[in-house]
Amino acid sequence: MHTDIASALPPQATAFPADLATPWRSKAPPASALPALLQAESPGQPLQQAFERQRDWIDATVQQVGGVLLRGYAVPEVAVFRAFAAAFGHALLSYEFASTPRSNVSSGVYTSTEYPAHQHIPLHNEQAYTREWPMKIWFHCVTAAQAGGETPIADSRAIYRRMPAAIRERFAAGLVYVRNYDSDFDVPWQQVFNTDDRAQVEAFCRRAGVQWEWKADGSMRTIQRCQGVERHPRSGEMVWFNQAHLFHPSNLQADVRESLEDMLGVDNLPRNVLFADGSPIPDSMLEEVRAVLDQETVIFPWEAGDVLMLDNMLAAHARTPFEGPRKVVVAMAEPHGNLHQG
């Protein structure tokens, strides 16, 4: 059951859909509700006041719409952002079982994915390639890029509804993620697990339901069966919740894919994803998935000081290529998962 956010709308907030111009959004599907915008009452208003005065509205809106963008508030240092995220009542999480390189900025706050500026990072829900993930994720724009560098978002419920039924049904049976950790081609296992102690890695894998294999050259392979779709624990709504389109070889440039497959063989690609029965996912199916993701994408330009709060199951996020300096930091909280389902 949803809260009626309009009935408790702060005067400086904008909830969509609405009969208002939205020049701050450069792309969005018809009737998109993402993100609700909460403007500071006055320039330089402390971010903490947004929490103190509008916490209930923010919580209700994130649960209904999927995300809130707070704009115009004073965030003089990352510590203020960290305190804002932590104030929602859950300890900030460390970035475990990573799939991309990040750096720790302060306790519980990380840089966004450190891929080269020219690369696009497709839409995804954080850690949807595992069976444990954060329910809440916050982004803070410290420095907006000169061009590009947006963090596109999309409603995971709308993606699920728009996805062709045959694909939904196939993915509902689950997926198998295969990762080969090699510092020459991807993130090494020591960085993924934040340790060089094999016993600690094995203990994590055992607890998380991950199969592992140590290779003769000191590298590692993991295999984990995960969800392709999920049910939100509070709303009961079904969401598209996986990273198949990122892990699948079709995500690589054609020449890079051909080179890696020739050099390593399909079984030793840095990452791959299969259907639950171990059969390959056709490239054409992932093309359909990416088309749906594109149709549901919402894009808005960052402004320095912006804070975006998302329900990580209701809203996916991405990153566009950019020019010039860009700094966006991330915090995550409220762990959830399906390991209890066996």
Side-chain angles (χ1 to χ4, degrees), residues 279-294:
S279 59
I281 303 175
D283 289 12
S284 59
M285 184 174 288
L286 274 302
E287 290 174 5
E288 291 187 73
V289 169
R290 294 185 183 102
V292 171
L293 295 174
D294 181 67

Side-chain angles (χ1 to χ4, degrees), residues 12 38-41 44-47 49-50 70-75 305:
Q12 72 276 21
L38 183 63
Q39 295 263 21
E41 297 173 32
Q45 181 183 357
L47 179 64
Q49 288 187 8
L70 296 98
R71 174 160 286 179
Y73 291 91
V75 191

